[in-house]
Amino acid sequence: MRVSRLDKSGDWQMGQWLSGSQAIAQNVTTRLKSFKFDWYLDLDAGIDWMHLLGNKGTRSRIERDVERVTLGTAGVQKITALSAQQEGRNLTISLTYLDIYGTQQGLTVAI
């Protein structure tokens, strides 16, 4: 697997590539930050952050959607740890997963 590297702003860095476990980690992060209904070719891709963040009683749904998106990412075999800390409309996801290369990868994603 090979993908274009993104900078800290999420912009492509032309001519720079990631492969292996780094590519999978970037794909997981990008997919978790994606909003549902944003991509016209697949309206079910991403997470419905607009309706989940800031509403009470959505924690279990957030965790299920994070699991669904993470496990649906090519190269992810299983999730070994997941936690989400929400403060208003700000969410921090801490995630550990095992990829197809046998690497246990830890990510922290701010939404």
Side-chain angles (χ1 to χ4, degrees):
M1 174 181 298
R2 187 173 124 162
V3 297
S4 290
R5 180 186 300 266
L6 300 179
D7 65 16
K8 292 185 189 278
S9 300
D11 294 326
W12 286 348
Q13 294 183 322
M14 297 308 227
Q16 296 187 28
W17 305 95
L18 294 176
S19 61
S21 294
Q22 289 181 321
I24 295 169
Q26 180 175 286
N27 285 343
V28 169
T29 301
T30 301
R31 288 172 45 91
L32 287 175
K33 289 183 173 186
S34 296
F35 283 74
K36 194 169 189 172
F37 310 116
D38 247 7
W39 190 36
Y40 71 96
L41 292 175
D42 186 356
L43 296 176
D44 288 327
I47 297 176
D48 192 6
W49 293 121
M50 297 299 283
H51 292 102
L52 292 174
L53 293 179
N55 291 324
K56 293 183 181 182
T58 59
R59 183 179 196 87
S60 64
R61 181 154 174 232
I62 288 171
E63 290 176 355
R64 280 194 321 267
D65 282 353
V66 167
E67 287 176 357
R68 174 185 58 81
V69 168
T70 302
L71 292 172
T73 303
V76 174
Q77 285 190 322
K78 72 177 184 176
I79 296 172
T80 56
L82 170 64
S83 68
Q85 299 296 322
Q86 186 174 358
E87 191 173 312
R89 293 185 68 84
N90 297 315
L91 178 73
T92 302
I93 301 165
S94 297
L95 175 69
T96 306
Y97 64 88
L98 184 65
D99 68 23
I100 59 173
Y101 301 108
T103 302
Q104 187 157 337
Q105 186 78 27
L107 294 175
T108 300
V109 180
I111 307 294

